Amino acid sequence: MKLYNHIAAGFSALEWEMVKHIPEGGNWQNIPESIPSQRLVQIRKSGGRTTYYGRLIYDKPSYTITTYFNRLGNGCNLHPKQDRVLSNREAARLQSFRDSFIFKGTKTSQYKQIGNAVPPLLARLISSLIKPHLENLTFIDLFSGAGGISEGFVMNGFQLVSASEIEKNYFETYKFNHSQYADPKNFILGDITSPDIKQKIIDTAQNKKIGVVVGGPPCQGFSTAGWRDPNDNRNQLFKEFVEVVKTIQPEFFVLENVLGILSMRDGAAVKEIIESFSEIGYHVNAPIRLNAEDFGVPQRRRRVVIIGSLKKCAIPQPIPLFSDEDKNLPNFITVKQAIGSLPPIQAGDDIIVKDVEMPSNTPYDRLMKEEITFEQFYEKSRM
């Protein structure tokens, strides 16, 4: 089979000296002080995070995949057994992207696409929360990125109508992987704050009944004066999200964001978000906190979703599907189960496409290779 994006960043001479001292589960504390590094000097003084210069553990989920998984010192990015950082494909698997999903654009862009994405299996869970209450399993994906949310919704039987994204490389990845699900003319590249772009997005919903509008608009401006502050341009994207929902009138909206949004301005920011949707006629549920590893993602990642509907509908906090404490549930998916079957490569290897013999050692392998459905994967994980 062909394996895409299985490439790993290289090391400097100094980094090679560091790597050989870091065992599985180790970090910067294992690097001898004799190795000269001004950054390590600063970390030792300040008592830096234990994930810095970290090596993953095979038998546990990974730490959060960030946009810097290609860098040795920026997190726990070392392969558990091989002296290299995670490959793009391995990071994508830890995010739960199927193996046939191909990332386009520059290497730097791919790191950002993978690290910024919503894990498809987490998006699948989100879609399952609202699916029983919908009349139309159609959705529009705003701020789509590479397409993690769309992947999860499509996996759960939803029909993609359209999507929008401003970043060209992200858009090329999205378009390449999702043209089989919707008319590519309905994939809109551009700034949603532009009236023309926003109208193009709205036009894709004409003569269609839209079940859901999903998206994760940046909400940094909420940390200061709130979304109503006309002087904070960072809030404009959120305003456009609300405007699109108001105009299209989907049955549901789903707003996905980082967990930190709940503590912005001591909770006042979330209240303003809920009020903004209430003002346009939506019944908004209490924010739902999600741990990705609870739902089959082999990664510790914390997110929050805010769900609203035109008809009053209670969406409860979902019950975990996986656990390392509840004996009635299958254990969390581990790094080894997720990437252990991928062929070994060298640091700096940049062969983008590989013809490989890759075994299906675990149910997660089979899910990523699209040999089984999520339901089959879950059932086999319980065995």
Side-chain angles (χ1 to χ4, degrees):
M1 65 172 287
K2 290 189 181 298
L3 185 63
Y4 297 88
N5 304 119
H6 192 37
I7 58 177
F11 290 135
S12 67
L14 178 60
E15 287 174 329
W16 274 117
E17 284 298 310
M18 297 177 181
V19 165
K20 63 186 180 183
H21 295 284
I22 305 171
E24 184 176 354
N27 54 43
W28 61 268
Q29 296 169 326
N30 300 107
I31 301 173
E33 293 187 23
S34 58
I35 295 178
S37 167
Q38 189 59 39
R39 183 158 190 262
L40 282 175
V41 170
Q42 293 301 320
I43 290 174
R44 290 187 181 106
K45 283 182 179 179
S46 62
R49 298 177 183 176
T50 55
T51 52
Y52 288 155
Y53 295 89
R55 191 184 287 273
L56 291 168
I57 299 174
Y58 248 160
D59 293 331
K60 293 183 178 180
S62 79
Y63 290 95
T64 300
I65 300 299
T66 71
T67 58
Y68 301 109
F69 68 83
N70 62 307
R71 299 182 186 179
L72 171 62
N74 283 67
C76 194
N77 302 322
L78 276 173
H79 189 281
K81 301 297 182 183
Q82 301 170 40
D83 284 340
R84 59 173 176 82
V85 293
L86 292 169
S87 76
N88 293 19
R89 186 80 265 152
E90 288 165 338
R93 268 205 175 198
L94 293 172
Q95 278 278 60
S96 71
F97 279 96
R98 54 191 165 89
D99 290 344
S100 61
F101 193 100
I102 301 175
F103 293 89
K104 298 288 188 177
T106 64
K107 292 178 184 177
T108 299
S109 175
Q110 289 181 29
Y111 304 146
K112 292 179 179 178
Q113 291 175 47
I114 296 168
N116 281 331
V118 176
L121 288 187
L122 192 61
R124 182 198 174 280
L125 176 276
I126 294 168
S127 73
S128 72
L129 298 179
I130 60 176
K131 187 175 182 179
H133 309 287
L134 284 165
E135 294 181 13
N136 301 283
L137 299 183
T138 51
F139 73 101
I140 292 175
D141 191 349
L142 306 180
F143 311 96
S144 65
I149 289 182
S150 287
E151 284 289 289
F153 272 67
V154 168
M155 184 189 302
N156 203 19
F158 283 68
Q159 179 185 345
L160 175 63
V161 173
S162 62
S164 72
E165 171 56 40
I166 191 173
E167 211 285 330
K168 184 178 179 181
N169 285 322
Y170 288 40
F171 181 77
E172 288 304 314
T173 292
Y174 188 96
K175 187 175 181 180
F176 183 87
N177 290 282
H178 296 96
S179 292
Q180 59 183 307
Y181 304 124
D183 187 341
K185 286 191 240 180
N186 286 347
F187 300 154
I188 313 299
L189 173 64
D191 186 348
I192 196 172
T193 64
S194 164
D196 290 344
I197 294 298
K198 184 167 62 175
Q199 190 59 51
K200 286 182 179 180
I201 296 168
I202 292 169
D203 287 346
T204 66
Q206 284 188 352
N207 302 318
K208 297 182 180 70
K209 294 181 178 179
I210 304 300
V212 196
V213 170
V214 302
C219 295
Q220 294 95 326
F222 283 85
S223 64
T224 53
W227 83 277
R228 300 174 195 278
D229 182 359
N231 298 315
D232 195 330
N233 292 330
R234 295 172 299 179
N235 291 328
Q236 189 64 33
L237 296 174
F238 174 75
K239 293 177 183 178
E240 301 300 347
F241 184 92
V242 175
E243 184 64 26
V244 170
V245 171
K246 178 181 178 181
T247 303
I248 292 176
Q249 292 283 287
E251 297 172 54
F252 277 78
F253 75 82
V254 174
L255 188 150
E256 179 274 344
N257 220 284
V258 296
L259 192 63
I261 197 173
L262 298 178
S263 58
M264 286 181 178
R265 293 169 40 238
D266 296 323
V270 165
K271 290 181 180 178
E272 288 189 11
I273 291 174
I274 292 173
E275 286 174 5
S276 70
F277 286 109
S278 296
E279 288 171 0
I280 63 171
Y282 280 81
H283 300 274
V284 186
N285 283 265
I288 294 174
R289 300 170 184 242
L290 297 173
N291 299 334
E293 68 270 27
D294 289 346
F295 303 103
V297 182
Q299 177 194 172
R300 300 186 186 278
R301 193 181 190 96
R302 308 290 179 260
R303 305 300 286 183
V304 63
V305 291
I306 299 174
I307 298 174
S309 56
L310 284 174
K311 296 179 180 178
K312 192 170 184 179
C313 180
I315 307 294
Q317 179 75 31
I319 298 172
L321 299 178
F322 294 80
S323 173
D324 274 358
E325 297 178 354
D326 189 337
K327 294 182 180 180
N328 295 316
L329 296 177
N331 290 336
F332 294 142
I333 304 301
T334 67
V335 170
K336 185 174 184 179
Q337 290 171 318
I339 69 172
S341 66
L342 296 180
I345 57 174
Q346 302 294 319
D349 191 338
D350 61 358
I351 302 173
I352 296 175
V353 182
K354 302 177 185 297
D355 286 305
V356 298
E357 292 287 338
M358 197 164 69
S360 296
N361 295 331
T362 69
Y364 194 82
D365 280 331
R366 298 191 65 190
L367 180 65
M368 293 297 97
K369 292 162 75 173
E370 299 172 83
E371 295 175 350
I372 58 176
T373 65
F374 178 85
E375 291 74 18
Q376 291 169 324
F377 154 70
Y378 188 64
E379 188 58 36
K380 291 180 183 297
S381 298
R382 297 177 68 92
M383 295 178 179

